[in-house]
């Protein structure tokens, strides 16, 4: 158990690669332990293949050749995985260790190789980045060969004729839209009362309207009760209004979220069903041990895992600078359905819990009311911004529409740095762009605020003093 490395990273997904490469580039000797393919979930069965499928499904030539689209998805994914593996293999300060790693005291990591041999590595710092696995539910009568997850979906030679998707969250929505364009009949099922319940209700409502126009059948407040292969592949849904039969179901995609792979902690770390407990620097309950990505309750998206991974690198390799970066940055979310939905800051229910009534001003601008929305025929979409009255400090924002995730960075910066809509109003947007909707929202805030400064100042003072507005909003 000689310490041949300065750090051991267990898991070569998004967060693990960020930490391993970041530390190695800082001169540290790193052991990177991985039991599967380099790139983890994102490269191999998540972000890359799903976004490639979404992109290709919009190509008219490929809509008539879904098999070619799926083959292209696999080729694109495999090429990236090979490139990432080559970059790791060629890095002079990273040792790639194949096997399953489990934390031991010390800190140390016991690695069981594919042939069963066990090697124990020790280092001053251990980073667990073991990711997560798809969460599934048992449906009585459903044969295993008809069950899909994101780990098997992209291996299909052809899309299912009739695909039932259990879960109307990000994965379910994205795959529903993409596979519908490739010719599948899609039924979307969720026990919640709206699609994408993580986002603001206005976004859910817009998505639901668009899904109906795309021909996607949405069953809310429902669960998959049983499957009858012999009666014609009928998936029966349990719903408040009575049972609903879905006939001719070829496959069922489980899109119910993720379960953290916390077994790698070896029972040595504090945590629970949502993963290993960490602080804002990714530190766990054991000295010298960090965790990042899906294995924690934080950072469930690739960009968030990368961001927390960079913070871990900073904490380990640049300890003298951590005082400059204590606050965790605002983490945006994006769902690449049709239309796209992207948001940052607390959603409506959280804003209502944290803020007194009337403390915030919500402004919504429809994409269709912008000139670029008119020229591009945008029907479903809007920009919605929540800002503090009087000051205009942006607290939260939601964008729904084409390239919504590409419009969000300005608003993410505003939330992260407390930028006012009055300042954004002074920005000049190129014309015509969908981003002009942000400028229109800023104009609307100024129109409502500046002519009524005494009233707005009184309201702001009341909410700040009596309601603790600034403390509740964390700034």
């Amino acid at each position: 158990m000689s310490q041949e490395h300065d750090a051991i990273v267990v898991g070569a997904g998004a967060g693990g690669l960020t930490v391993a490469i970041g530390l190695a580039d800082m001169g540290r000797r790193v052991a990177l332990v991985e039991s599967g393919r380099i790139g983890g979930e994102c490269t191999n069965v998540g972000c890359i293949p799903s976004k490639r499928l979404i992109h290709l499904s919009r190509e008219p030539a490929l809509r008539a050749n879904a098999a070619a689209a799926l083959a292209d998805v696999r080729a694109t994914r495999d090429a990236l995985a090979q490139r990432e593996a080559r970059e790791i293999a060629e890095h002079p300060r990273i040792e790639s260790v194949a096997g399953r790693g489990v934390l031991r005291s010390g800190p140390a990591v016991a690695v069981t190789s594919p042939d069963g041999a066990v090697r124990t590595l020790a280092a001053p710092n251990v980073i667990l980045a073991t990711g997560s696995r798809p969460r599934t539910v048992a449906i009585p009568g459903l044969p295993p060969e008809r069950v899909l997850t994101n780990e098997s979906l992209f291996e299909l030679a052809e899309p299912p004729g009739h695909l039932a998707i259990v879960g109307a969250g990000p994965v379910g929505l994205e795959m529903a839209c993409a596979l519908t364009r490739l010719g599948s009949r899609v039924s979307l099922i969720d026990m919640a009362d709206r699609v994408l319940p993580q986002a603001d209700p206005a976004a859910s409502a817009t998505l639901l309207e668009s899904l109906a126009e795309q021909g996607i059948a949405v069953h809310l407040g429902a669960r998959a009760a049983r499957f009858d292969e012999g009666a014609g592949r009928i998936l029966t849904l349990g719903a408040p209004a009575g049972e609903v039969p879905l006939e001719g179901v070829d496959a069922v995609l489980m899109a119910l979220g993720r379960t953290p792979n916390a077994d790698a902690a070896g029972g040595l770390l504090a945590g629970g069903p949502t993963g290993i407990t960490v602080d804002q620097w990714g530190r766990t309950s054991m000295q010298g041990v960090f965790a990042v990505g899906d294995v924690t309750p934080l950072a469930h998206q690739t960009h968030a895992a990368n961001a927390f991974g960079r913070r871990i690198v900073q904490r380990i390799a640049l300890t003298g600078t951590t005082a400059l970066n204590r606050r965790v940055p605002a983490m945006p979310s994006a769902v690449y359905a049709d239309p796209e939905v992207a948001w940052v800051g607390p959603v409506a229910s959280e804003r209502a819990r944290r803020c007194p009534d009337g403390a915030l001003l919500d402004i919504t601008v429809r994409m269709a009311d912008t000139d670029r929305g008119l020229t591009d025929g945008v029907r479903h979409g809007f920009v919605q911004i929540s800002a503090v009255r009087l000051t205009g400090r942006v607290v939260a924002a939601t964008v729904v529409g084409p390239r919504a995730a590409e419009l969000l960075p300005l608003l993410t910066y505003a939330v992260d740095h407390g930028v006012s809509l009055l300042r954004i109003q002074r920005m000049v947007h190129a014309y015509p762009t969908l981003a002009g909707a942000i400028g229109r929202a800023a104009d609307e805030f100024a129109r409502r605020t500046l002519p009524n400064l005494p009233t707005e100042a009184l309201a702001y003072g009341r909410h700040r003093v009596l309601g603790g507005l600034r403390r509740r909003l964390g700034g």
Side-chain angles (χ1 to χ4, degrees):
M1 271 188 28
S2 60
Q3 291 194 352
E4 302 173 356
H5 305 94
D6 299 304
I8 303 165
V9 179
V10 184
L17 288 177
T18 296
V19 175
I21 295 171
L23 289 175
D25 288 346
M26 292 287 182
R28 279 17 181 215
R29 300 164 302 166
V30 178
L32 180 60
V33 180
E34 174 56 58
S35 60
R37 300 179 71 183
I38 297 294
E41 192 262 348
C42 179
T43 295
N44 295 290
V45 295
C47 310
I48 297 304
S50 66
K51 303 312 172 283
R52 183 62 176 169
L53 183 66
I54 290 168
H55 170 72
L56 294 175
S57 70
R58 292 192 174 102
E59 297 291 330
L62 288 174
R63 290 190 183 187
N65 192 350
L70 286 163
D72 184 293
V73 165
R74 291 188 289 273
T76 300
R77 170 201 65 190
D78 293 345
L80 177 59
Q82 292 166 10
R83 188 181 80 192
E84 290 178 335
R86 185 169 59 251
E87 290 173 352
I88 293 300
E90 293 174 353
H91 201 295
R93 284 184 290 276
I94 297 178
E95 178 189 357
S96 183
V97 182
R100 179 178 178 271
V102 178
L103 182 68
R104 296 289 183 256
S105 59
V109 175
V111 182
T112 303
S113 66
D115 63 5
V118 178
R119 173 187 177 188
T120 300
L121 306 173
N125 296 288
V126 172
I127 301 91
L128 299 181
T130 47
S132 62
R133 58 190 181 276
R135 188 167 68 87
T136 62
V137 294
I139 300 175
L142 180 65
E145 62 270 18
R146 294 198 185 278
V147 177
L148 296 173
T149 69
N150 68 300
E151 294 180 349
S152 56
L153 174 65
F154 305 108
E155 303 306 319
L156 294 176
E158 297 273 359
H162 182 187
L163 175 66
I165 301 178
V166 181
V171 173
L173 289 167
E174 290 180 356
M175 293 301 94
C177 294
L179 291 169
T180 294
R181 288 193 290 265
L182 289 177
S184 291
R185 172 190 169 196
V186 174
S187 299
L188 196 61
I189 306 154
D190 202 299
M191 293 183 67
D193 60 358
R194 59 188 177 98
V195 299
L196 197 61
Q198 304 95 318
D200 273 3
S204 299
T206 300
L207 265 174
L208 185 61
E209 183 180 350
S210 176
L211 293 172
E213 292 183 3
Q214 294 172 63
I216 298 170
V218 180
H219 303 271
L220 297 174
R223 61 180 180 84
R226 61 185 180 274
F227 185 85
D228 193 333
E229 180 90 11
R233 307 190 311 278
I234 295 177
L235 179 65
T236 300
L237 307 183
E243 293 188 340
V244 178
L246 301 182
E247 299 181 355
V249 173
D250 298 299
V252 177
L253 173 63
M254 299 288 179
L256 292 164
R258 314 284 298 179
T259 298
N261 292 325
D263 293 348
L268 299 177
L269 302 178
T274 58
I276 299 168
T277 302
V278 294
D279 67 4
Q280 73 271 28
W281 292 104
R283 293 177 296 191
T284 71
S285 55
M286 181 183 289
Q287 180 69 29
V289 178
F290 299 76
V292 66
D294 280 5
V295 76
T296 75
L298 308 174
H300 289 174
Q301 293 180 300
T302 296
H303 54 267
N306 290 337
F308 276 93
R310 289 191 291 271
R311 290 176 66 82
I312 291 173
V313 171
Q314 183 181 10
R315 186 73 194 184
I316 294 173
L318 301 169
T319 53
T321 67
T322 55
L324 303 177
N325 193 22
R326 292 185 182 277
R327 183 176 53 82
V328 175
M331 293 292 172
S333 297
V335 178
Y336 301 91
D338 187 4
E340 286 187 14
V341 180
W343 69 94
V344 65
V347 295
S349 58
E350 181 67 10
R351 295 195 302 272
R353 187 184 68 82
R354 292 165 60 180
C355 304
D357 289 342
L360 302 179
L361 188 60
D362 294 333
I363 297 174
T364 301
V365 175
R366 295 173 63 246
M367 293 284 192
D369 293 336
T370 66
D371 288 355
R372 185 56 183 267
L374 173 67
T375 62
D376 289 6
V378 177
R379 298 183 57 251
H380 301 288
F382 60 84
V383 170
Q384 178 178 283
I385 301 175
S386 295
V388 178
R389 290 180 64 173
L390 181 67
T391 70
R393 181 163 70 92
V394 179
V395 170
T398 295
V399 181
V400 179
R403 302 287 183 180
E406 307 292 345
L407 299 185
L408 196 66
L410 171 60
L411 297 170
T412 301
Y413 182 87
V415 170
D416 205 26
H417 292 80
V419 176
S420 169
L421 280 176
L422 295 174
R423 184 173 182 182
I424 292 176
Q425 190 205 19
R426 298 196 294 269
M427 293 181 58
V428 178
H429 296 274
Y431 177 87
T433 58
L434 293 176
I438 299 173
R440 289 191 59 172
D443 287 341
E444 178 64 14
F445 178 84
R447 186 189 67 78
R448 295 191 195 181
T449 301
L450 296 182
N452 304 295
L453 285 177
T455 301
E456 294 300 310
L458 182 62
Y460 175 77
R462 181 174 66 254
H463 293 310
R464 180 170 180 180
V465 174
L466 300 179
L469 177 61
R470 196 165 186 81
R471 175 180 54 80
R472 289 170 182 262
L473 292 174

